[in-house]
C-alpha cells in the first residue's frame, strides 16, 4: 500500500513587499505589480495591494475568496510533501467599473476591518499580511460562470511563480512541520464527514483536484461532475483538494 | 440562492477544515473520509445525488455521518433529502447548517431535530461579514458528540 503520510511544511512570512520580480527569502515575500498587458480583455483593471497586519481600515469590494499559498513538492494529492506559506494569504475581491459587486447572496464590500472576521479557519489571522487581489470588470461584461473562471484562474496564475519558488525551497528550513495520516481505528464506529457544497451554476461552484494545493489550474468543477458525490481520504482533503469559487 | 459571505466556506476554510481536524483526531471513531457533494439545480438530479451518497456510505459499512452545508435557503432541499436517504439506510446522521433567525428550514422532516445551528451572529442573520457564521471547531465537537449519542441510540453494530 502506498505511503499515506502527508507532510505539510510551513514557512512563516514576516514581511511582504513589492519588487520587480517574485522572490522569497528570510521570511520575506516579494511580489510584482500586475503588468497591464497581461490583463484579460474583459477586465478594466487589476489592483494588487499589500495590507499590513492591523491596517485593515481600507475599502474593499465584495470578498470572493481567501486563498492560502501552497505547493506540491513530492508525491500525489494527500501523500508526500506540501509546502505552504503562513503569515500571508491572498483575498480575491471584485466589482465592475460601475461599482456593481461580484457576489451572490449579500455582498461583503465596505471597510475590510468590518467586513471580514479575522482568526477564523477560513480567514487570515490578525497578524497576517494580506495580498488583496482586486479585479474590476468592464461594465458591459456579463458576470457568468465563464467570467468567474477567468477571474479565479487569473488570480491563480499570479500566485504560481510564488509556488514555483516555494517548491524549490529546502524543506529543512521550514518553520513548522505537520504530519498527517489516514489513521484507522478498527472496532470503533465508522464515521464519514459529508460536505454539501454549492454547485448550482454561475458563481456557485467548487473546483476539485487542482494540480497545486488550493489552486485552480487542472481542477474539475463540481458542476461538470453533475454535482455527484466524490470521496476524499482525510489526507487528500487536508492537502487542499478543494478551491471555493465566490 | 443562499450562500452569503458570513457562511461561505473559503478555500482556506477547506484547507484548515475544523470538521476534518476534530473527526480525524478522535480515537473513538474510525474516520473513513470526506464525501463532497454538490447541489444540482435540477430536481431529478437533487434526488439522485442524495441517494448516491447514501448508497456509498452503505457500501462502506458506515455507522454514522455528519452532513454540513456551506449555504442555506434552497439548498435545504438537498440537505434534508440527503439526510433522509442516509437515515433510511439505517445509518445515523446529524447535520450542521446555518439557521439563526433568518434561515429556518425551507423544508423539514423527521431528521430536522438532529441539525445543529452554526449561527454566531447576535442578530441571527446573514451579516455579510466574511467568516462570521462559519462552522468552527466547537460546532464540529458538538456534532461529533451528538453523532456518538445518536449511533448509540440507534444501536449501531460495529463490524
Amino acid at each position: 500500500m502506498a505511503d499515506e503520510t502527508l507532510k505539510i511544511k510551513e514557512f512563516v512570512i514576516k514581511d511582504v513587499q513589492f519588487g520587480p520580480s517574485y522572490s522569497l527569502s528570510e521570511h520575506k515575500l516579494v511580489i510584482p505589480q500586475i503588468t497591464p498587458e497581461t490583463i484579460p480583455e474583459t477586465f478594466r483593471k487589476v489592483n494588487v495591494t499589500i495590507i499590513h497586519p492591523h491596517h485593515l481600515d481600507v475599502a474593499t469590494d465584495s470578498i470572493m475568496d481567501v486563498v492560502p499559498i501552497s505547493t506540491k513538492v513530492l508525491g500525489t494529492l494527500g501523500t508526500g510533501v506540501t509546502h505552504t506559506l503562513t503569515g500571508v494569504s491572498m483575498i480575491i475581491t471584485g466589482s465592475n467599473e460601475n461599482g456593481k459587486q461580484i457576489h451572490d447572496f449579500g455582498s461583503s464590500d465596505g471597510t475590510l476591518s468590518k467586513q471580514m472576521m479575522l482568526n477564523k479557519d477560513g480567514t487570515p489571522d490578525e497578524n497576517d499580511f494580506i495580498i488583496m487581489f482586486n479585479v474590476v470588470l468592464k461594465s458591459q461584461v456579463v458576470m457568468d460562470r465563464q467570467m468567474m473562471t477567468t477571474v479565479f484562474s487569473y488570480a491563480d496564475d499570479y500566485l504560481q511563480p510564488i509556488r514555483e519558488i516555494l517548491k524549490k525551497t529546502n524543506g529543512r528550513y521550514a518553520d513548522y512541520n505537520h504530519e498527517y495520516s489516514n489513521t484507522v481505528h478498527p472496532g470503533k464506529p465508522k464515521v464519514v464527514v459529508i460536505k454539501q457544497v454549492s454547485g448550482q451554476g454561475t458563481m456557485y461552484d467548487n473546483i476539485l483536484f487542482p494540480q497545486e494545493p488550493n489552486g485552480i489550474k487542472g481542477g474539475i468543477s463540481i458542476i461538470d461532475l453533475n454535482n455527484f458525490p466524490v470521496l476524499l481520504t482525510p489526507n487528500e482533503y487536508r492537502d487542499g483538494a478543494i478551491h471555493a469559487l465566490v | 440562492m443562499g450562500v452569503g459571505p458570513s457562511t461561505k466556506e473559503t478555500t482556506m476554510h477547506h484547507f484548515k477544515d475544523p470538521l476534518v481536524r476534530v473527526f480525524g483526531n478522535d480515537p473513538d471513531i474510525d474516520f473513513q473520509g470526506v464525501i463532497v457533494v454538490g447541489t444540482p439545480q435540477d430536481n431529478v438530479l437533487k434526488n439522485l445525488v442524495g441517494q448516491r451518497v447514501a448508497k456509498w456510505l452503505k457500501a462502506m459499512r458506515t455507522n454514522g455521518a455528519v452532513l454540513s452545508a456551506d449555504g442555506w435557503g434552497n439548498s435545504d432541499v438537498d440537505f434534508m433529502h440527503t439526510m433522509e436517504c442516509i437515515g433510511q439506510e439505517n445509518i445515523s446522521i446529524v447535520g450542521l447548517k446555518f439557521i439563526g433567525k433568518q434561515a429556518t428550514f425551507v423544508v423539514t422532516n423527521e431528521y430536522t431535530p438532529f441539525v445543529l445551528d452554526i449561527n454566531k451572529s447576535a442578530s441571527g442573520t446573514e451579516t455579510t461579514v466574511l467568516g462570521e457564521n462559519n462552522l468552527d471547531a466547537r460546532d464540529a465537537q458538538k456534532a461529533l458528540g451528538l453523532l456518538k449519542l445518536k449511533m448509540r441510540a440507534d444501536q449501531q453494530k460495529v463490524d
Side-chain angles (χ1 to χ4, degrees), chain A residues 10-29:
Chain A
E10 204 180 301
F11 295 81
V12 179
I13 293 298
K14 293 174 182 164
D15 191 18
V16 183
Q17 286 182 13
F18 281 118
S21 61
Y22 292 93
S23 75
L24 177 65
S25 59
E26 308 284 322
H27 304 287
K28 182 178 158 188
L29 175 68

Side-chain angles (χ1 to χ4, degrees), chain A residues 48 139 176 201 205 228:
Chain A
V48 180
S139 60
Y176 299 99
D205 197 357
F228 262 60

Side-chain angles (χ1 to χ4, degrees), chain A residues 186-241:
Chain A
K188 301 292 182 185
K190 297 183 184 65
V191 170
V192 168
V193 167
I194 307 158
K195 303 276 301 184
Q196 178 179 301
V197 300
S198 323
Q200 293 97 327
T202 319
M203 305 180 187
Y204 299 97
D205 197 357
N206 280 268
I207 299 291
L208 292 160
F209 306 118
Q211 275 170 15
E212 294 279 14
N214 305 312
I216 291 277
K217 200 175 178 190
I220 305 162
S221 145
I222 190 100
I223 298 174
D224 291 338
L225 292 169
N226 262 335
N227 290 294
F228 262 60
V230 175
L231 177 75
L232 302 166
T233 67
N235 268 359
E236 286 174 332
Y237 192 83
R238 290 179 185 117
D239 204 11

Side-chain angles (χ1 to χ4, degrees), chain A residues 64-66 104-105 115 117 120-122 185 189-197 199-200 230 232 237 244 246, chain B residues 1 3-4 8-12 14 17 21 29-30 32-37 39 63-64 66 68 128 130-131:
Chain A
M64 295 187 273
D65 198 14
V66 182
D104 34 42
F105 186 87
Q115 291 302 133
M117 189 164 274
K120 302 282 284 189
D121 285 310
H185 297 289
K190 297 183 184 65
V191 170
V192 168
V193 167
I194 307 158
K195 303 276 301 184
Q196 178 179 301
V197 300
Q200 293 97 327
V230 175
L232 302 166
Y237 192 83
V246 190
Chain B
M1 224 151 291
V3 189
K8 175 188 168 50
E9 295 188 345
T10 64
T11 303
M12 183 179 268
H14 286 296
D17 202 311
R21 198 163 66 230
I29 57 166
D30 194 4
Q32 294 180 297
V34 183
I35 289 183
V36 180
V37 61
T39 47
N63 297 112
V66 58
S68 138
T128 76
L130 190 78

Side-chain angles (χ1 to χ4, degrees), chain B residues 51-111:
Chain B
Q51 282 167 14
R52 292 334 302 159
V53 172
K55 296 293 179 193
W56 201 333
L57 296 184
K58 186 79 177 169
M60 296 202 298
R61 312 288 180 263
T62 300
N63 297 112
V66 58
L67 174 65
S68 138
D70 71 350
W72 49 275
N74 284 0
S75 61
D76 288 2
V77 178
D78 311 74
F79 193 83
M80 293 320 304
H81 174 69
T82 303
M83 279 188 86
E84 192 173 20
C85 290
I86 295 167
Q88 282 168 354
E89 298 287 357
N90 297 319
I91 296 163
S92 305
I93 177 78
V94 302
L96 276 168
K97 187 182 93 67
F98 171 71
I99 302 171
K101 288 178 181 156
Q102 188 174 22
T104 47
F105 289 96
V106 175
V107 287
T108 58
N109 61 21
E110 61 179 295
Y111 300 96

Side-chain angles (χ1 to χ4, degrees), chain A residues 81-243:
Chain A
V81 180
T82 292
H83 286 179
T84 193
L85 295 182
T86 53
V88 62
S89 57
M90 177 170 78
I91 63 172
I92 307 174
T93 66
S95 65
N96 77 7
E97 55 192 334
N98 296 337
K100 185 174 186 285
Q101 299 294 316
I102 310 178
H103 68 94
D104 34 42
F105 186 87
S107 164
S108 51
D109 66 307
T111 305
L112 186 60
S113 58
K114 294 194 172 73
Q115 291 302 133
M116 183 164 71
M117 189 164 274
L118 299 171
N119 304 318
K120 302 282 284 189
D121 285 310
T123 60
D125 287 343
E126 59 186 28
N127 296 317
D128 284 2
F129 281 81
I130 298 168
I131 300 170
M132 187 195 263
F133 195 90
N134 177 241
V135 174
V136 181
L137 301 176
K138 288 181 180 168
S139 60
Q140 67 273 25
V141 172
V142 183
M143 294 178 185
D144 59 4
R145 187 181 169 202
Q146 180 60 43
M147 192 64 241
M148 290 310 114
T149 310
T150 309
V151 169
F152 275 74
S153 299
Y154 188 71
D156 188 48
D157 289 346
Y158 181 76
L159 293 183
Q160 191 58 31
I162 305 175
R163 295 190 185 117
E164 297 298 338
I165 299 170
L166 188 57
K167 210 184 278 291
K168 290 177 190 130
T169 305
N170 193 331
R172 194 183 299 166
Y173 304 120
D175 297 286
Y176 299 99
N177 291 293
H178 307 274
E179 201 165 311
Y180 303 98
S181 306
N182 295 322
T183 320
V184 291
H185 297 289
K188 301 292 182 185
K190 297 183 184 65
V191 170
V192 168
V193 167
I194 307 158
K195 303 276 301 184
Q196 178 179 301
V197 300
S198 323
Q200 293 97 327
T202 319
M203 305 180 187
Y204 299 97
D205 197 357
N206 280 268
I207 299 291
L208 292 160
F209 306 118
Q211 275 170 15
E212 294 279 14
N214 305 312
I216 291 277
K217 200 175 178 190
I220 305 162
S221 145
I222 190 100
I223 298 174
D224 291 338
L225 292 169
N226 262 335
N227 290 294
F228 262 60
V230 175
L231 177 75
L232 302 166
T233 67
N235 268 359
E236 286 174 332
Y237 192 83
R238 290 179 185 117
D239 204 11
I242 302 188
H243 195 302

